[in-house]
Amino acid sequence: MRAARARSGPAPRSAAAHGRMGSRALGAADESGARPAAPGARRSRGPLLPAPPMASPLEDPVLIRPFRGHTAAVTGVAFNRNAAGLVTCSVDRFLIFWKLKRQCRAYRFAGHAEAVTSVEFSPDGQVLASSSHDHTVRLWIPCIHGESSVLKGHTASVRSVSFSHDGYSVVSASNDKSIKIWSVCYQRLLFTLFQHTGWVRCAKFSPDGRIIVSCGEDKYINIWDTRNKNCVNSFSDDEGFATFVNFNPSGTCIASAGSNNTVKLWDIRTNKLLQNFKVHRAGVNSVSFHPSGNNLITASTDGTLKILDLLGERLMYTLHGHKGPVLCVAFSKGGEKFASGGTDAQLLLWKTNFDSLDYEEVLKHNFRRTHTDDPPHLLDIFPRSSHLHGEKRKSIQMKTNAGKSSDDVSVFKSSGGSEELESPFASLSARRSKRKAETESGSARHSVKQHRGASCSVDRALSHIMGQLDMLTLTISILEQRLTCTEDKLKEFMKDQQKMLLKGKWN
């Protein structure tokens, strides 16, 4: 099935017709599902031979195959590092890790008690993070055992989860109006961000990890500095609230999906609205940037996917395939594929016609943006005494004493192959120079030892300070949890008091 260009006319047949209902093994991939015939397929004596899988640069996006395994709406999708597999989450409370090789089975992960709202791979592909209406965030090892650990701290449904660029932190957004940042290694809460006055629908790290963008039903998009933990900027949308936000690959712009059917691009450097696309007939649920940053794909409740050309500011393609609202969409790390999920409980895998990028180079680029060269160590700096490199130069040594004539000047030509002129004071001067060099060398070794001792002392002091900061952070997280429990009890007490007052009035 081919994508429909952005034009009026009848919509192509739904992709669901190309997949077979049900699946084998643990309800995973439909391994025998029919693959759509690409243009150029021909009949031979054997079965129908498909065209080569690689799309030409002028070819439209093509549906590769549908996947069926979930029993309810697919709410999130993410590719792993090398695009050899992807993971989906669903209202049916399960995660399914799909391997894209046709003969490989899929793995279903169970652990959440309620609907799963979001899922994402870590940058190295070794960890999965998911969020759920059961108020928790889970970290998974994407293997056959499906081991997971639970991060508890939110007091309401968690709507989204996102990894930092180095994979060390996870940010979650919740209906409790808070944004929490978690440590993946220590599996504990690092800090909490408060400013939204409504449910927080989404929160994402920037590509360099320095800032976080969040959106909520209070109609604000907030920009947070992860170092000082403050909100540094806000964008307001009076027409509706943003349901999803994401950074472009360079981290200079953000795209917001609106409940008012719009997709907007904001420049966080100039704090201005760059583009406003009104291409959908219903609310937009998810957006994803191509790794080149030149294209954006959107998923909408109107049942379509749309690919936007950000450079030309135009709609390129409208894709049909889902029966019902499309809830999630994501490009692969290299941009050669994308996947979408919707309320029809199926996952559609698509082939793009865009240039693919090397994900390793993308990671290196983001790493260079956040890590400057380390300053040279003291021992790496050359001493200030003269060093002869390459061709040796003339050195003139002068000795002037009272009662001596100017003939006491000794000249040493140390050029390669030239003769050496000596004077009666040459050996004495050589001994003095040697003794002076030994004295300077001893003082230098002594200063180096002192520096190393000071460095060890500073390292010990810094380690002690870091330990104290960790204890302080842990104490603050415990206090936050206690404060949350106290707030909940106070709310229940106030409700009981209101009920008693109402009963007293009626009596």
Side-chain angles (χ1 to χ4, degrees):
M1 184 187 70
R2 293 171 62 86
R5 286 189 179 272
R7 62 172 183 266
S8 59
R13 185 175 53 167
S14 171
H18 295 283
R20 191 186 306 176
M21 189 64 181
S23 55
R24 295 189 296 275
L26 41 84
D30 181 7
E31 298 297 338
S32 61
R35 183 171 181 173
R42 58 187 180 89
R43 178 72 65 178
S44 68
R45 293 182 180 179
L48 185 66
L49 297 178
M54 293 299 293
S56 65
L58 299 178
E59 192 175 2
D60 296 341
V62 178
L63 176 66
I64 298 177
R65 59 177 301 193
F67 292 86
R68 291 179 177 274
H70 289 290
T71 59
V74 178
T75 55
V77 60
F79 283 88
N80 65 356
R81 184 170 185 171
N82 57 3
L86 54 85
V87 64
T88 55
C89 61
S90 172
V91 177
D92 62 10
R93 301 174 298 162
F94 296 115
L95 280 73
I96 296 182
F97 177 51
W98 312 84
K99 292 191 175 180
L100 300 185
K101 295 181 180 179
R102 298 188 65 85
Q103 301 302 322
C104 293
R105 293 185 175 182
Y107 303 106
R108 184 169 61 190
F109 301 148
H112 284 291
E114 295 184 30
V116 189
T117 57
S118 177
V119 66
E120 186 169 309
F121 269 103
S122 62
D124 60 5
Q126 301 299 314
V127 183
L128 277 172
S130 62
S131 58
S132 171
H133 285 310
D134 62 7
H135 306 182
T136 66
V137 173
R138 280 185 178 265
L139 301 177
W140 307 78
I141 304 299
C143 63
I144 192 172
H145 302 292
E147 300 175 354
S148 68
S149 56
V150 186
L151 304 178
K152 295 182 178 181
H154 286 291
T155 58
S157 299
V158 187
R159 305 300 292 266
S160 79
V161 66
S162 174
F163 277 97
S164 60
H165 72 294
D166 53 13
Y168 294 158
S169 304
V170 166
V171 59
S172 58
S174 171
N175 286 356
D176 61 9
K177 306 176 186 179
S178 72
I179 301 163
K180 293 185 182 292
I181 289 80
W182 312 81
S183 169
V184 175
C185 299
Y186 299 103
Q187 298 179 10
R188 61 181 177 83
L189 180 66
L190 295 178
F191 55 90
T192 304
L193 304 175
F194 292 102
Q195 180 150 330
H196 284 286
T197 57
W199 291 357
V200 188
R201 299 294 295 266
C202 184
K204 296 283 185 179
F205 274 106
S206 63
D208 58 11
R210 296 180 181 181
I211 59 179
I212 292 173
V213 61
S214 63
C215 64
E217 296 191 4
D218 56 1
K219 298 185 179 181
Y220 279 96
I221 299 174
N222 291 339
I223 307 295
W224 308 82
D225 188 340
T226 57
R227 289 168 293 186
N228 56 28
K229 306 175 182 59
N230 290 333
C231 180
V232 295
N233 200 3
S234 294
F235 303 102
S236 178
D237 190 350
D238 297 332
E239 299 176 358
F241 62 88
T243 59
F244 191 91
V245 286
N246 204 355
F247 281 94
N248 69 337
S250 64
T252 58
C253 300
I254 57 173
S256 63
S259 61
N260 58 341
N261 314 348
T262 62
V263 176
K264 296 184 178 182
L265 262 69
W266 309 81
D267 191 332
I268 62 176
R269 298 166 298 180
T270 60
N271 303 329
K272 292 182 179 180
L273 176 64
L274 296 179
Q275 296 173 1
N276 184 8
F277 293 95
K278 297 182 179 180
V279 293
H280 286 287
R281 299 190 304 271
V284 186
N285 301 312
S286 179
V287 297
S288 180
F289 279 96
H290 187 266
S292 66
N294 298 331
N295 301 99
L296 182 73
I297 189 168
T298 63
S300 171
T301 304
D302 63 12
T304 65
L305 299 162
K306 293 183 183 289
I307 299 179
L308 306 175
D309 179 7
L310 302 182
L311 298 180
E313 299 185 5
R314 64 187 180 92
L315 172 64
M316 293 179 63
Y317 300 102
T318 295
L319 308 179
H320 300 265
H322 287 280
K323 293 181 177 179
V326 190
L327 302 181
C328 57
V329 66
F331 273 108
S332 62
K333 305 301 182 182
E336 70 278 3
K337 300 173 184 175
F338 64 92
S340 58
T343 56
D344 55 2
Q346 68 174 343
L347 168 71
L348 300 184
L349 180 64
W350 306 79
K351 170 70 180 177
T352 69
N353 61 348
F354 308 124
D355 295 332
S356 61
L357 298 179
D358 187 359
Y359 186 55
E360 298 288 343
E361 293 299 326
V362 176
L363 289 179
K364 288 180 182 178
H365 173 72
N366 291 334
F367 184 83
R368 286 193 296 267
R369 293 182 62 211
T370 55
H371 294 76
T372 56
D373 293 336
D374 294 331
H377 193 271
L378 178 65
L379 300 182
D380 297 331
I381 302 176
F382 291 110
R384 295 190 179 183
S385 58
S386 60
H387 282 67
L388 300 178
H389 301 282
E391 181 184 0
K392 298 182 179 180
R393 301 180 181 179
K394 292 182 180 180
S395 61
I396 300 177
Q397 186 174 6
M398 302 180 63
K399 179 178 178 62
T400 56
N401 287 331
K404 296 290 182 179
S405 64
S406 59
D407 296 332
D408 291 335
V409 178
S410 303
V411 180
F412 300 92
K413 291 185 179 179
S414 54
S415 304
S418 62
E419 63 178 359
E420 184 173 345
L421 304 179
E422 296 185 356
S423 73
F425 302 99
S427 59
L428 179 61
S429 300
R431 285 195 297 271
R432 288 180 177 177
S433 300
K434 183 177 180 180
R435 196 177 302 116
K436 183 178 180 181
E438 290 176 353
T439 304
E440 290 179 353
S441 176
S443 61
R445 285 196 295 269
H446 180 67
S447 62
V448 168
K449 289 181 180 179
Q450 287 182 340
H451 172 74
R452 287 178 177 173
S455 299
C456 294
S457 302
V458 172
D459 290 341
R460 286 195 295 268
L462 289 175
S463 300
H464 179 71
I465 292 173
M466 292 300 295
Q468 295 295 324
L469 288 175
D470 288 339
M471 291 296 298
L472 182 61
T473 304
L474 182 60
T475 304
I476 292 174
S477 65
I478 294 174
L479 291 175
E480 285 183 347
Q481 293 178 359
R482 292 182 178 177
L483 180 61
T484 302
C485 294
T486 304
E487 289 177 350
D488 293 339
K489 291 180 180 179
L490 183 59
K491 289 179 181 177
E492 293 178 358
F493 175 77
M494 294 298 294
K495 289 181 181 179
D496 294 337
Q497 290 292 326
Q498 290 178 356
K499 290 180 180 177
M500 292 177 62
L501 290 174
L502 291 173
K503 290 182 179 178
K505 289 181 179 180
W506 285 106
N507 293 333

